[in-house]
Amino acid sequence: MCKLRICITAEEFFPFPSGRLRRIYEVARRLAKDNEVHIYCQRYSETFKGVMDGIHLHGVGPFTARPSYPMRLSSALLMLPSILRNGKFDIINTNWLLPPLPSYIAAKLKRTPIILTSDGILWHHVEALHLHGYSMPSTIFGCMMEDIDVSLSYDAYIAVSKGARSELISMGVDPDKVFVIYNGVNLSFFDSIKVQERKEPTICYIGHLEARKNVLDLIRAFSIVQREISDAKLIIAGSGPLAKKARRMVKDLKLSDKVSFAGKVGFKKSAEIMKSSHLLVLPSLIEGFGLVLAEANACYKPVIAYDVPGVREIVKEGVNGYLVRPRNIQELADKIIKLLGDDELRRKMGEKGRRLIEKRFTWDRAAKETFKVYNHVLMNA
């Protein structure tokens, strides 16, 4: 197995808490053990440079704590000269939304094979579902960039789920070029977190507070749960454009003493919240994979989620959790009540979930399969 010089491009990078960024970091640091790995991304820290866990970091564009779309686009475009200055790479692996175009141009100029990793279509779904909370310019721009990304002819595509693969194919991508490589979970990290489960029946939500994640449905469902289980608690961890609306809804429903907002949390804190809770709920309307569900299962916690592509590849109905019809708030509440009221059922589902994660969703497996795709592309270049 020869050592490769690998270029990975992304808008952002670890430690921002998201499934996409966790994947890039976990796969990259494993590849870096036997290869030379360079990551180019928007500079979100004035100290973003040097080497971390064997990964060579390259921040491009001006530093800004809260970049706008024009700023993010300009940073992405600056990847092109930065990549070109850094010599010849064996392969380029880009992640959407904004980096694929400059990465593709760099690949063609350098005559380097290029792979696109997709964690699912977003903006076309936002438009189709008429989700509120996204501006019209952002939606139009997002759809345009998704169309551009898919229109480019890559040597291969990596999809994080079968659902993400189907979306690429529906947009015209050659099925023979799309490889499904699931995200993983760092089991040793979660096992190292030592916290006690709360005495009160506790539900947790961990994720960005935006329309597609749909936390407002969970708050509505929790108000129903309260009528049956008065001592139940809900922890909402995350930040985003719906934060104020979520807090206002909690106040209007007179749930302020039952719902706590943890704000934006890091990976350790999110793991502590999961482990101290009795179950995790993810009412997303759009998910490429839903990594937080796998992480909760890794903590021996059952999960409840809306039945959407990507999610249903993790959650097996009645085995490690429950799938609920999207926007069915009463059904969501009923499943929460059922799990909170049955200690033995939660224990069995949690154990089955952990075994499922150990078998199917590990970062070592994701890294090995990614490297196989790299070699497949190089052999056929």
Side-chain angles (χ1 to χ4, degrees):
M1 183 172 63
C2 62
K3 180 177 180 179
L4 300 181
R5 194 163 189 261
I6 302 165
C7 170
I8 298 174
T9 62
E11 287 184 43
E12 299 166 327
F13 185 56
F14 183 84
F16 282 161
S18 82
R20 178 190 300 177
L21 305 186
R22 169 61 82 174
R23 176 192 180 91
I24 294 170
Y25 166 70
E26 294 288 358
V27 171
R29 74 184 183 94
R30 284 165 172 78
L31 293 176
K33 292 178 181 179
D34 300 303
N35 303 277
E36 183 181 328
V37 178
H38 294 255
I39 288 185
Y40 292 81
C41 80
Q42 170 188 308
R43 182 182 290 122
Y44 62 86
S45 167
E46 293 174 325
T47 60
F48 187 78
K49 59 183 178 180
V51 179
M52 182 177 78
D53 293 334
I55 306 166
H56 299 266
L57 306 178
H58 305 271
V60 295
F63 166 71
T64 177
R66 301 183 67 180
S68 62
Y69 264 109
M71 182 70 73
R72 289 164 64 183
L73 179 59
S74 66
S75 294
L77 292 175
L78 287 172
M79 287 181 182
L80 176 56
S82 185
I83 294 170
L84 293 177
R85 285 195 299 267
N86 202 7
K88 175 70 174 175
F89 288 101
D90 294 301
I91 201 153
I92 296 175
N93 188 173
T94 188
N95 296 264
W96 65 18
L97 184 67
L98 300 178
L101 179 57
S103 303
Y104 185 84
I105 296 172
K108 294 307 171 184
L109 291 174
K110 288 284 190 176
R111 296 184 179 181
T112 302
I114 182 168
I115 296 169
L116 171 67
T117 295
S118 168
D119 54 359
I121 302 296
L122 169 60
W123 292 104
H124 281 78
H125 286 311
V126 167
E127 184 179 46
L129 292 171
H130 305 291
L131 295 181
H132 300 292
Y134 302 95
S135 69
M136 183 60 69
S138 293
T139 302
I140 293 172
F141 177 77
C143 288
M144 179 186 72
M145 290 307 303
E146 285 180 344
D147 287 336
I148 291 173
D149 289 353
V150 174
S151 70
L152 302 174
S153 180
Y154 301 91
D155 295 283
Y157 303 77
I158 294 173
V160 301
S161 65
K162 293 177 182 177
R165 180 179 187 272
S166 296
E167 289 173 343
L168 287 172
I169 294 170
S170 72
M171 295 184 75
V173 173
D174 181 354
D176 293 335
K177 287 188 174 184
V178 187
F179 300 84
V180 175
I181 301 177
Y182 288 120
N183 287 336
V185 176
N186 188 340
L187 295 172
S188 61
F189 167 75
F190 285 97
D191 290 343
S192 71
I193 303 298
K194 307 298 182 183
V195 295
Q196 294 295 316
E197 194 171 72
R198 293 168 180 264
K199 293 182 179 180
E200 307 92 348
T202 304
I203 309 148
C204 71
Y205 165 91
I206 298 172
H208 197 51
L209 302 183
E210 60 176 319
R212 74 180 181 95
K213 293 288 188 177
N214 200 30
V215 72
L216 300 183
D217 272 13
L218 174 55
I219 296 172
R220 295 185 183 100
F222 183 70
S223 69
I224 299 173
V225 172
Q226 270 290 305
R227 300 170 197 164
E228 299 289 331
I229 308 175
S230 60
D231 60 340
K233 302 286 187 181
L234 170 61
I235 301 173
I236 297 175
S239 61
L242 283 186
K244 288 184 179 179
K245 191 171 184 178
R247 290 177 182 274
R248 186 165 60 249
M249 179 179 285
V250 166
K251 184 177 180 180
D252 292 344
L253 292 173
K254 297 180 172 54
L255 296 171
S256 298
D257 61 333
K258 302 294 184 178
V259 180
S260 60
F261 288 86
K264 188 175 183 178
V265 298
F267 289 109
K268 183 178 180 181
K269 182 62 178 178
S270 67
E272 291 173 348
I273 291 172
M274 283 185 219
K275 283 204 148 183
S276 66
S277 301
H278 291 77
L279 61 98
L280 178 138
V281 178
L282 184 67
S284 293
L285 298 169
I286 306 168
E287 280 292 345
F289 183 77
L291 181 58
V292 71
L293 297 167
E295 291 175 338
N297 273 174
C299 296
Y300 295 91
K301 304 297 178 179
V303 296
I304 301 173
Y306 277 164
D307 187 6
V308 296
V311 165
R312 64 176 69 111
E313 294 174 52
I314 303 172
V315 184
K316 305 304 176 186
E317 175 64 22
V319 178
N320 60 332
Y322 290 117
L323 292 169
V324 175
R325 288 172 294 171
R327 299 189 186 278
N328 193 320
I329 294 170
Q330 183 62 57
E331 185 182 356
L332 180 60
D334 290 343
K335 295 300 185 184
I336 293 173
I337 292 169
K338 183 175 182 178
L339 274 178
L340 287 182
D342 193 329
D343 294 349
E344 183 62 15
L345 179 61
R346 285 200 315 275
R347 184 189 66 78
K348 288 181 178 179
M349 280 191 168
E351 289 180 352
K352 289 177 181 177
R354 171 67 183 220
R355 289 198 294 269
L356 177 69
I357 301 308
E358 291 173 345
K359 182 179 180 181
R360 298 186 64 196
F361 305 116
T362 68
W363 289 122
D364 286 341
R365 179 175 178 174
K368 288 177 182 177
E369 292 181 357
T370 298
F371 193 72
K372 285 182 181 178
V373 173
Y374 289 175
N375 279 315
H376 170 80
V377 168
L378 290 170
M379 288 175 62
N380 291 278

